[in-house]
Amino acid sequence: MSKLFNKIAPIYGMFFDFQVKQYQRVLDEIEKDFSFKEYDEIIDIGCGTGALCSVLAKKGLIVTGVDSAEKMLSIAVEKTKNDDIKFIKENVLDKLPFADNSFDISIASFVAHGLKACDRNLMYAEMERITKKYVIFYDYNDKHAILTNIVEFLEQGDYFNFIKVIKTELKEYFGNIKVINLDKRAALYICKINKNVMKESEENE
């Protein structure tokens, strides 16, 4: 997957400003339901060219961006050079180089739908490990679009299964979920961390 995103990184870079405006709009719209300004440190998993990182940094958060595609990160560093953001080349499916509970929030934007269910579970576990308060996913909801269907079919991810199971999957893993629909085809899935519930779940397996 990193090879693919290294190849298409320049294309993503062309849409950086558009993505920044989109993320800014989304975060402003949900301010009453969830305010990122109330927290200090956040990590963006699969940060790509750093558009979301830039918006979060401008909201006053201490931001770390992680991505496995080196060329994505090179663009991110250049595009956000005026922001105080730390970028690291790592894969969330491996153990990230952060201690438990390092961040108030971990967020992944349009990453989960591209992973198979088994890999999503690995991502959930690692994000939960390094997070104190909330694990958040900004991704597709269950509304189809022809263009999205075509693109996701070509990328050969798990999109078509993902949109059917994501709500149930997250609720089963985290024990709770708040869904904020953002537009016709996307939603914010907010999972509040409860370490005790997760510990009990692991002990019962």
Side-chain angles (χ1 to χ4, degrees):
M1 189 63 73
S2 294
K3 291 182 179 179
L4 170 63
F5 283 105
N6 274 322
K7 288 182 179 179
I8 63 177
I11 298 174
Y12 272 74
M14 293 171 60
F15 290 94
F16 177 84
D17 291 338
F18 171 81
Q19 287 184 309
V20 166
K21 291 179 181 178
Q22 178 75 1
Y23 285 128
Q24 185 65 64
R25 178 186 65 81
V26 167
L27 268 56
D28 287 346
E29 284 182 359
I30 67 167
E31 187 76 23
K32 293 181 180 179
D33 295 304
F34 189 90
S35 177
F36 285 86
K37 294 178 182 178
E38 296 179 12
Y39 304 94
D40 298 318
E41 296 194 46
I42 187 168
I43 183 168
D44 181 4
I45 302 295
C47 65
T49 58
L52 178 56
C53 290
S54 179
V55 173
L56 292 168
K58 286 180 172 61
K59 286 189 174 291
L61 285 91
I62 300 170
V63 183
T64 299
V66 171
D67 204 287
S68 60
E70 186 174 357
K71 290 186 179 179
M72 285 283 195
L73 290 176
S74 294
I75 294 172
V77 170
E78 176 62 25
K79 293 287 188 179
T80 65
K81 58 186 176 183
N82 294 323
D83 298 317
D84 186 13
I85 302 170
K86 182 177 181 180
F87 290 105
I88 300 176
K89 182 179 180 295
E90 294 288 346
N91 190 333
V92 70
L93 301 184
D94 302 321
K95 187 175 177 65
L96 295 172
F98 305 108
D100 295 356
N101 307 320
S102 293
F103 304 92
D104 295 312
I105 301 172
S106 61
I107 188 168
S109 177
F110 288 94
V111 175
H113 76 271
L115 301 175
K116 299 298 182 183
C118 57
D119 286 338
R120 285 200 299 275
N121 282 326
L122 290 176
M123 180 173 70
Y124 300 159
E126 189 62 358
M127 290 175 74
E128 181 274 330
R129 181 186 70 79
I130 63 175
T131 307
K132 290 182 283 190
K133 301 293 185 179
Y134 291 94
V135 173
I136 299 176
F137 300 93
Y138 178 21
D139 220 307
Y140 294 111
N141 58 24
D142 57 359
K143 307 298 181 183
H144 285 274
I146 294 176
L147 181 58
T148 302
N149 288 348
I150 294 172
V151 171
E152 293 303 329
F153 175 79
L154 293 174
E155 287 190 3
Q156 298 183 338
D158 198 41
Y159 164 77
F160 296 98
N161 177 57
F162 169 87
I163 62 175
K164 296 177 183 177
V165 304
I166 184 59
K167 291 180 183 178
T168 301
E169 193 172 273
L170 290 175
K171 187 172 183 179
E172 288 179 350
Y173 189 90
F174 291 98
N176 68 87
I177 177 177
K178 179 178 182 179
V179 181
I180 302 176
N181 284 307
L182 303 172
D183 51 43
K184 291 181 179 179
R185 299 178 185 91
L188 210 65
Y189 303 91
I190 302 174
C191 307
K192 187 173 183 179
I193 295 295
N194 188 330
K195 303 287 185 179
N196 292 330
V197 169
M198 292 181 180
K199 183 177 180 181
E200 291 174 3
S201 177
E202 291 172 357
E203 291 175 347
N204 292 332
E205 289 181 355

